[in-house]
Amino acid sequence: MAADLGPLPDGVEVVVWPMDAAAPRDRFDIVVPPYMSMSRVLARLENVPVGLVQGQSIGYDGVAQVLPSGLVFANAASVHETSTAELAVGLAIAAQRHLDAFAVDTAAGRWAPVFSQSLADRRVLLLGYGGVGKAVAARLAGFEVQLTPVASRARDEDGTPGSAQVHVHGVDELPDLLPHADIVILTLPGGDATRGLVDDAFLSALPDGALIVNVGRGTLVDTDALVDHVRRGRIRAALDVTEPEPLPEGHPLWSLPGVLISPHVGGASSAMQPRIARLVRAQIERMAAGEPPLNVVLPVPVP
């Protein structure tokens, strides 16, 4: 990332610190912890004055519990939406068109055609209409699905230029919406408010054969309930995130028919590096100019 930042304002020094040892400076204006291991290294910032801790993920559930007191934390909104939306659509297509099974057939040298479900004409319930959800919706626009976005509250939003206004349903409408959904794509963040949202009642309300695609957080889904419904052939699942995570060896989700798992790689693509570099560069320029940083999600509490 340091190499991708490009020319920086005069007086800016970039220090490469993997956070695997004590801080090499007495203070920092900005610290960017390593991707996917941030929670394990934030303790190294204890008693180190830092102007901003810039995370490399959109999600930040649990960060408040491990971030040393008095530090400001910003998430990586604008970095992963594109890549995660690609994977969400890819998982949906792979599950619908049996691409996972075809991959196994390829390895075995087996020619086994099947008649599969399309993505076209499916009724897709998009649960979560923030940055990732909107990126998923934009990519589904060309697939001729019947899309129903859902968020914490009902509202109308302007669509993309030239498109109609979008009606976003509230989460309280789920009991009426679930029985009509062929595919549910989850892009919600983690945390107490969303924990276990996809439980037995949620899954029971879906029609037989419905597909759950989760690119949000594993904690959104009651794993035991999902295993039960998949085992009975009621529900299928394509999961980039699981609870627990990593999914342990021998867990039933690994071997159940109708389950496709990717190992939390929604943001792990070539699209990440230039975008995180752009965000960090913007933060440097803003703070060097005395402007507030972007994407602050955990500000210093007011006494």
Side-chain angles (χ1 to χ4, degrees):
M1 184 196 304
D4 290 338
L5 290 175
L8 296 170
D10 290 342
V12 174
E13 178 188 8
V14 177
V15 178
V16 179
W17 173 36
M19 300 187 74
D20 55 357
R25 296 287 192 278
D26 292 336
R27 63 173 299 279
F28 291 101
D29 293 294
I30 303 175
V31 169
V32 184
Y35 183 52
M36 297 298 283
S37 61
M38 179 179 64
S39 62
R40 298 195 294 272
V41 300
L42 284 180
R44 296 204 180 273
L45 298 179
E46 193 72 50
N47 300 319
V48 179
V50 176
L52 176 71
V53 180
Q54 174 61 62
Q56 297 193 58
S57 299
I58 299 176
Y60 57 95
D61 44 303
V63 172
Q65 286 70 49
V66 294
L67 185 72
S69 62
L71 298 187
V72 175
F73 181 83
N75 75 344
S78 78
V79 172
H80 298 289
E81 289 85 346
T82 292
S83 183
T84 304
E86 284 180 353
L87 185 64
V89 175
L91 286 172
I93 293 173
Q96 290 292 93
R97 301 304 302 268
H98 295 275
L99 298 187
D100 52 341
F102 293 153
V104 174
D105 291 341
T106 299
R110 181 170 50 241
W111 186 272
V114 297
F115 189 90
S116 63
Q117 292 289 321
S118 65
L119 185 55
D121 304 328
R122 297 308 95 195
R123 300 166 299 182
V124 178
L125 195 65
L126 179 58
L127 191 45
Y129 203 61
V132 174
K134 290 176 181 177
V136 171
R139 281 149 186 81
L140 286 174
F143 285 93
E144 301 178 29
V145 302
Q146 301 174 39
L147 185 66
T148 302
V150 180
S152 57
R153 58 178 179 82
R155 59 185 184 269
D156 292 320
E157 292 195 6
D158 291 335
T160 55
S163 65
Q165 196 171 53
V166 176
H167 178 66
V168 182
H169 296 261
V171 71
D172 58 310
E173 299 176 64
L174 280 175
D176 294 327
L177 297 173
L178 290 172
H180 308 288
D182 301 308
I183 300 172
V184 178
I185 299 180
L186 306 170
T187 70
L188 290 166
D192 292 340
T194 60
R195 184 177 301 277
L197 177 65
V198 181
D199 56 10
D200 179 69
F202 184 111
L203 296 169
S204 296
L206 291 170
D208 288 348
L211 172 67
I212 297 288
V213 179
N214 190 3
V215 295
R217 284 293 182 265
T219 53
L220 301 175
V221 178
D222 180 331
T223 303
D224 290 341
L226 180 63
V227 167
D228 174 59
H229 281 261
V230 173
R231 185 173 279 147
R232 291 189 282 119
R234 275 259 311 123
I235 297 296
R236 298 171 297 131
L239 312 171
D240 184 52
V241 288
T242 61
E243 176 65 20
E245 190 174 299
L247 197 63
E249 182 179 354
H251 194 281
L253 282 176
W254 284 123
S255 56
L256 281 174
V259 176
L260 172 60
I261 295 172
S262 58
H264 201 154
V265 293
S269 79
S270 58
M272 176 184 174
Q273 193 67 17
R275 286 166 171 77
I276 188 64
R278 282 200 295 269
L279 175 58
V280 172
R281 180 184 175 85
Q283 300 289 48
I284 291 170
E285 291 173 342
R286 291 178 69 88
M287 294 183 73
E291 299 174 0
L294 304 167
N295 299 348
V296 171
V297 291
L298 295 175
V300 175
V302 177

